[in-house]
Amino acid sequence: MQLLDPMLPDQFLVKRKVNENKDTFTLTLEPLEKKSFLYQPGQFNMLYMFGLGEVAISISGNSEKPLPLIHTIRAVGTTTKAMQKLKKGDVIGLRGPFGSSWPIIQAKGKDVIIVVGGIGLAPLRPVIYYILAHRQDYGRVSLLYGARTPEDQIYLNEFAGWQEKLDFFTIVDRASKKWNGDVGVVTRLIPKAKFNPSNTLAMICGPEVMMRFVSLALQDKGLIPEQIFVSMERNMKCAIGFCGHCQLGGTFICKDGPVFTYKEMKRYLELREV
Amino acid sequence: MTLKTLEPILAKHPLFNELDPQYLEIIVGCAKNVRFKEGEFILREGREADTFYLIREGKVTVDIYVPHLGPITIHTVAEGEVLGWSWLVAPYRWHFDAQAIVATRAIALDGKCIRNKCEENKAMGYELMKRFSSVIVQRLQSTQMQLLDVYGIRQ
Amino acid sequence: MENNSLIILAESLQLIFDNLNSFGYQTIAPTISENTIVYDQITKISDLPIGYIDEQTGGHYRLKKHSKPTFFSYTVGANSWKKYLHPPKVRLWQIKRKAKAMEFVSEETQPPKLAFIGVRGCELAAISIQDRVFLKDKFVDPIYSTRRKDIFIVAINCARAVKTCFCTSMQTGPKVEEGFDLSLTEILDDKKHIFLVKVATEKGREILKNIPYKVATKEDENIAENIIKTTAQSIEKKLDTENIKELLYQNYENPSWDEVANRCLSCANCTMVCPTCFCTTVQDTTDLTGEIAERWRSWDSCFTSDFSYIHGGSVRVSTKSRYRQWLVHKLGAWLDQFGTSGCVGCGRCITWCPVGIDITEQVKTLRENNG
């Protein structure tokens, strides 16, 4: 068989594992053989644990310095819980990158509003890195981050840097008295973001219900569905459009998405069980 | 002449945005300037709800005290927002604690005073009720979203 | 031998089998197993379901003897050629655990060269649809591609249709138009039992080597055309495809989905018998020593609750949502995804539905309740 097999993983060495919070961790991965790896912010890889299975995980590093690969993973299922036990020096399988990307080029010369919830910050971190590296190419950039509790927030050690160059606001659903930030839902941060609605792109990533309400709130602020981008999630087995699991209407999330305009997804976000 | 100076401040607050100046004049009569130190309680659960606050500067947490866990913050109120609406409906009792977590300046509005004025002037009462309904609905919608615990792990 | 339209005796079909076998093809053709037509490897034409016809309606299938010794008077069974090109279960790869690494072993197996004999119009269309899915998209499926490469196809023009057939609505049959090496029309009357053979490829011409033939006359051609025309006219079932994508996209919330969901058992039969359904899942396994892991791919169905599972639960919990997903995809979204319908009008999903749900009736119901 002479064909390049898109279903066969490459081997990646775990260089580092950092716990972000009690169930979320970040892996730094170096290829064992492959020499180069290119990806765009928003794309994902399929990570394989020996004998257990594969999961789709977005890439969270700096796309302009693609290797080593950075993946932030939440331990929620059998495979991701096993990944939580990985140590430096372990080897995992990896295929990718797959999928569409955030509109970082289209956003040049515009204001940008990034709204993320929970682990949804991870797929947008490459966008943040890109904007920080090309800050002068963008207008006002707001990053609104909602988390469950202060303890659930990830990438804490980067907050100071983001605060400096972006309009960065965080909010949590509930907190102890140790927290002196905002408490409430992420849409409450939107009034703090300053942008010119006619020259802005919004990028949203989080649970579907959160993306629905954020999209509505941004439209109330004058954005149109073409200016809003969302990252969708569905079951994925193959990542290359063959297994059929990630279909949503006329699209496959794995190859047409995961990043779509809200215009494309509006209908499906409004429908139930699609 | 505190009354005179409070009117433009009230007019600037989003709650009274574009309110009929006649009503504003009436409301000013129930208003006073207040300051809270960091850590000071503004409302206490179970006490009579006789006042509400338009926050001008600072930040206030709305908390529930849970044995074992201590106070849990479920909502924060900051500049341009409104603290308290239990003064509006019987039995006029606070359901949560509210604490200034930084030095906070606010306009305190006497709930009983406003209720009485609204009884006298139904048109103003309806206008204020509409504005407060919007505050209440937003809080309720936020609470429902928080209850969903969308970022939590579902078992 | 430049003529592309030939007449051979019915029994000469054996010579086609023999030639194919001698060229290294495994000959796969209809045969009978457990009282149904299946596709399997046979080398003798006596193993064809000679003299059999089928009877099919919603949830009903019977194979019956009839008076004439025809070779191809039945229509399609539950099997389709999909099982050879897109196997129900296939190993994708194996890995051996090494000290500080893993050794991936891609599957190198060379599948046998296959000749499909008796492929009908709807089935040719189904193969072409799966070609589109697996070979002509962003990625190429190496498994499908390897198996598909050397397939030899002998198509058959249907001389009979059953009540579940609606290929005429989907423009896939009964006449076979393209996608084959040779096509046959079976002609049996008082005097003769012959095939009119159309040669579509050089490969096809080669296989006919040494087989006695005569050049088909205009009259022979007319007889064959008439057989096909009569079959087409006998097809009663219709599916109105006009603006069907828009119809489906606009009717996600049509109440008629509730009605069909009350009957649907979510058993997945329709997706298993469908010659175009391509969805799969994977199983990851290890051997007892834990040293060798494998990944297997097997057919899956959008009717299972696991199918749409994401962290926290299934996206499509109700039967209604799953039936809707299947139908909207098959007849609507498929057009957006691949530029063709996903339905070829073979009627298998109607016959093999245990409660006889009829895809054409569902479209009719949606049209009646449109809006």
Side-chain angles (χ1 to χ4, degrees):
Chain A
M1 193 163 63
Q2 301 305 313
L3 285 156
L4 183 70
D5 190 339
M7 294 180 283
L8 196 63
D10 290 310
Q11 298 182 75
F12 276 71
L13 182 70
V14 177
K15 297 286 280 184
R16 213 160 97 89
K17 188 198 147 221
V18 178
N19 288 323
E20 301 286 352
N21 62 36
K22 67 180 188 310
D23 54 37
T24 305
F25 55 97
T26 296
L27 297 178
T28 304
L29 303 169
E30 193 80 71
L32 275 191
E33 287 154 12
K34 217 173 167 173
K35 283 176 188 66
S36 70
F37 196 102
L38 292 174
Y39 71 88
Q40 291 297 315
Q43 290 195 293
F44 65 93
N45 286 321
M46 297 298 287
L47 269 54
Y48 170 75
M49 273 302 279
F50 186 86
L52 274 177
E54 253 185 347
V55 283
I57 307 284
S58 64
I59 312 173
S60 301
N62 179 353
S63 60
E64 295 187 287
K65 194 182 161 296
L67 287 176
L69 281 170
I70 311 288
H71 282 287
T72 296
I73 303 164
R74 194 169 187 200
V76 289
T78 318
T79 305
T80 46
K81 279 178 182 157
M83 285 177 176
Q84 200 175 18
K85 296 186 186 119
L86 284 167
K87 307 179 299 294
K88 183 178 175 177
D90 288 341
V91 171
I92 67 168
L94 186 148
R95 304 187 281 137
F98 300 113
S100 62
S101 54
W102 297 106
I104 48 168
I105 303 305
Q106 195 190 333
K108 289 196 175 178
K110 295 185 163 69
D111 293 340
V112 177
I113 170 162
I114 298 170
V115 190
V116 294
I119 187 87
L121 175 57
L124 271 154
R125 193 166 66 163
V127 173
I128 300 170
Y129 287 156
Y130 188 88
I131 289 176
L132 291 177
H134 304 268
R135 188 65 192 86
Q136 68 288 354
D137 294 349
Y138 298 88
R140 289 201 77 129
V141 179
S142 305
L143 171 59
L144 315 181
Y145 172 34
R148 188 167 181 261
T149 68
E151 295 72 35
D152 287 301
Q153 290 182 323
I154 59 174
Y155 305 148
L156 283 169
N157 56 358
E158 308 206 35
F159 283 14
W162 296 351
Q163 207 89 60
E164 217 172 282
K165 292 187 169 168
L166 313 170
D167 296 332
F168 177 42
F169 302 102
T170 60
I171 195 163
V172 297
D173 272 350
R174 71 201 61 147
S176 72
K177 295 299 285 189
K178 281 181 285 182
W179 171 251
N180 58 11
D182 286 338
V183 178
V185 291
V186 73
T187 41
R188 286 192 55 216
L189 296 177
I190 291 174
K192 300 192 183 202
K194 302 218 168 36
F195 54 90
N196 169 9
S198 62
N199 191 37
T200 296
L201 287 189
M203 308 183 204
I204 314 174
C205 189
E208 209 169 292
V209 55
M210 167 265 183
M211 293 197 291
R212 285 203 318 253
F213 285 101
V214 171
S215 301
L216 291 176
L218 289 173
Q219 287 176 93
D220 292 342
K221 290 280 175 193
L223 295 198
I224 56 169
E226 288 88 334
Q227 291 172 282
I228 303 172
F229 291 78
V230 294
S231 180
M232 300 296 294
E233 184 195 9
R234 282 292 182 273
N235 186 326
M236 271 184 216
K237 298 285 185 198
C238 75
I240 50 181
F242 296 150
C243 81
H245 284 250
C246 70
Q247 284 179 72
L248 184 58
T251 71
F252 288 85
I253 303 288
C254 69
K255 64 184 171 76
D256 304 316
V259 178
F260 294 95
T261 62
Y262 177 65
K263 185 182 193 266
E264 297 167 279
M265 286 297 117
K266 189 171 181 293
R267 172 106 172 103
Y268 302 113
L269 287 167
E270 285 162 2
L271 291 166
R272 304 289 171 262
E273 291 192 76
V274 288
Chain B
M1 293 306 284
T2 349
L3 299 185
K4 284 271 179 259
T5 55
L6 279 185
E7 192 167 330
I9 297 170
L10 281 181
K12 257 183 9 204
H13 194 278
L15 182 71
F16 294 135
N17 185 31
E18 286 175 20
L19 187 73
D20 188 328
Q22 241 183 297
Y23 300 160
L24 210 53
E25 210 172 301
I26 301 173
I27 294 165
V28 168
C30 306
K32 66 174 187 208
N33 231 328
V34 288
R35 284 168 185 275
F36 299 100
K37 290 195 289 287
E38 179 184 332
E40 192 176 342
F41 279 97
I42 304 174
L43 318 174
R44 294 310 294 250
E45 180 188 323
R47 304 241 173 108
E48 190 192 347
D50 50 8
T51 320
F52 70 97
Y53 301 90
L54 309 183
I55 308 299
R56 297 175 60 192
E57 194 190 327
K59 188 181 279 182
V60 179
T61 61
V62 177
D63 310 320
I64 315 177
Y65 182 82
V66 184
H68 318 300
L69 296 176
I72 302 294
T73 302
I74 50 164
H75 185 68
T76 47
V77 185
E79 186 186 330
E81 296 180 311
V82 181
L83 173 68
W85 37 270
S86 293
W87 63 275
L88 193 62
V89 283
Y92 313 119
R93 193 160 57 218
W94 297 123
H95 280 77
F96 305 110
D97 292 339
Q99 188 180 22
I101 52 165
V102 291
T104 296
R105 291 198 300 142
I107 304 288
L109 287 141
D110 181 333
K112 217 179 274 175
C113 168
I114 293 211
R115 286 203 306 263
N116 289 337
K117 307 265 190 212
C118 288
E119 288 298 336
E120 287 163 20
N121 186 339
K122 302 283 195 228
M124 181 180 90
Y126 177 62
E127 187 55 41
L128 282 191
M129 197 52 113
K130 277 200 291 187
R131 287 163 188 256
F132 259 93
S133 302
S134 156
V135 173
I136 296 168
V137 165
Q138 277 173 33
R139 266 292 297 282
L140 185 61
Q141 283 168 347
S142 289
T143 305
Q144 281 163 334
M145 292 293 291
Q146 286 165 285
L147 277 176
L148 273 180
D149 194 18
V150 288
Y151 311 127
I153 289 184
R154 298 178 286 286
Q155 304 299 338
Chain C
M1 185 168 143
E2 281 312 309
N3 205 303
N4 289 332
S5 206
L6 316 171
I7 298 290
I8 64 167
L9 292 173
E11 61 256 36
S12 293
L13 183 61
Q14 182 62 55
L15 302 174
I16 293 183
F17 272 80
D18 294 345
N19 282 356
L20 282 166
N21 289 145
S22 70
F23 272 80
Y25 287 101
Q26 276 185 18
T27 39
I28 314 293
T31 187
I32 296 175
S33 170
E34 297 181 354
N35 297 316
T36 58
I37 301 292
V38 298
Y39 298 138
D40 210 343
Q41 185 181 1
I42 62 171
T43 55
K44 296 274 169 268
I45 57 170
S46 54
D47 287 331
L48 288 168
I50 295 173
Y52 277 90
I53 56 165
D54 53 350
E55 181 183 283
Q56 301 193 38
T57 55
H60 174 92
Y61 181 93
R62 290 289 179 279
L63 206 51
K64 299 194 299 196
K65 263 294 199 194
H66 85 147
S67 52
K68 295 175 187 164
T70 47
F71 291 3
F72 292 103
S73 289
Y74 42 85
T75 65
V76 294
N79 273 192
S80 69
W81 306 98
K82 172 170 97 171
K83 67 175 178 173
Y84 293 103
L85 299 172
H86 178 43
K89 192 165 172 135
V90 64
R91 190 168 64 198
L92 297 180
W93 41 253
Q94 269 186 306
I95 324 173
K96 294 191 186 88
R97 200 200 287 271
K98 291 257 179 114
K100 268 289 167 209
M102 303 186 257
E103 187 189 321
F104 285 94
V105 192
S106 194
E107 289 297 290
E108 301 283 347
T109 51
Q110 195 55 52
K113 264 167 71 173
L114 301 182
F116 296 165
I117 297 159
V119 182
R120 294 167 191 279
C122 57
E123 302 187 297
L124 285 173
I127 292 170
S128 139
I129 288 171
Q130 289 214 324
D131 286 353
R132 171 66 187 82
V133 172
F134 289 121
L135 303 178
K136 297 170 190 163
D137 213 82
K138 199 166 165 187
F139 294 92
V140 169
D141 178 16
I143 293 165
Y144 187 91
S145 153
T146 312
R147 287 163 184 266
R148 179 71 177 93
K149 204 168 52 196
D150 294 322
I151 300 289
F152 187 96
I153 292 180
V154 182
I156 178 86
N157 283 302
C158 289
R160 223 185 117 258
V162 288
K163 287 205 162 68
T164 46
C165 291
F166 59 102
C167 60
T168 42
S169 295
M170 305 314 293
Q171 269 120 45
T172 61
K175 188 177 164 78
V176 296
E177 303 280 3
E178 56 182 7
F180 52 83
D181 298 290
L182 297 173
S183 80
L184 309 174
T185 310
E186 187 173 20
I187 302 169
L188 173 67
D189 60 27
D190 299 341
K191 285 172 269 170
K192 57 187 186 298
H193 186 191
I194 55 170
F195 284 110
L196 183 133
V197 185
K198 296 241 176 185
V199 186
T201 63
E202 277 313 304
K203 226 166 42 162
R205 194 179 300 284
E206 235 175 294
I207 290 297
L208 289 179
K209 213 181 275 176
N210 306 327
I211 296 176
Y213 72 95
K214 73 179 184 67
V215 174
T217 62
K218 192 76 202 142
E219 201 198 334
D220 295 327
E221 299 254 19
N222 284 341
I223 292 170
E225 281 302 322
N226 264 327
I227 289 172
I228 301 167
K229 208 195 279 174
T230 311
T231 308
Q233 281 161 356
S234 76
I235 292 173
E236 294 160 10
K237 202 169 275 305
K238 286 193 170 47
L239 193 152
D240 177 3
T241 56
E242 203 191 329
N243 294 329
I244 192 154
K245 187 179 84 181
E246 292 71 20
L247 174 80
L248 292 163
Y249 280 0
Q250 284 157 17
N251 280 280
Y252 269 95
E253 286 172 322
N254 194 301
S256 67
W257 299 115
D258 292 306
E259 188 280 323
V260 66
N262 281 336
R263 290 181 287 142
C264 176
L265 306 176
S266 210
C267 73
N269 266 14
C270 50
T271 52
M272 295 294 107
V273 297
C274 178
T276 69
C277 271
F278 57 83
C279 290
T280 53
T281 187
V282 288
Q283 290 95 34
D284 288 284
T285 60
T286 49
D287 69 350
L288 284 176
T289 64
E291 291 306 303
I292 294 174
E294 296 183 339
R295 162 162 284 207
W296 289 77
R297 178 171 90 179
S298 55
W299 288 356
D300 199 1
S301 170
C302 50
F303 281 89
T304 68
S305 66
D306 265 8
F307 189 83
S308 61
Y309 182 89
I310 48 177
H311 159 60
S314 184
V315 173
R316 296 183 208 106
V317 179
S318 66
T319 300
K320 165 182 148 176
S321 67
R322 293 182 211 158
Y323 185 85
R324 182 179 66 185
Q325 165 62 24
W326 180 69
L327 195 79
V328 173
H329 180 222
K330 184 72 46 189
L331 296 172
W334 211 295
L335 288 157
D336 273 342
Q337 294 169 347
F338 303 112
T340 76
S341 175
C343 177
V344 296
C346 71
R348 284 181 177 91
C349 58
I350 306 172
T351 301
W352 298 98
C353 175
V355 296
I357 293 172
D358 182 336
I359 187 170
T360 66
E361 289 298 324
Q362 287 318 119
V363 172
K364 223 176 279 173
T365 310
L366 274 181
R367 283 197 191 279
E368 282 159 13
N369 301 312
N370 188 11

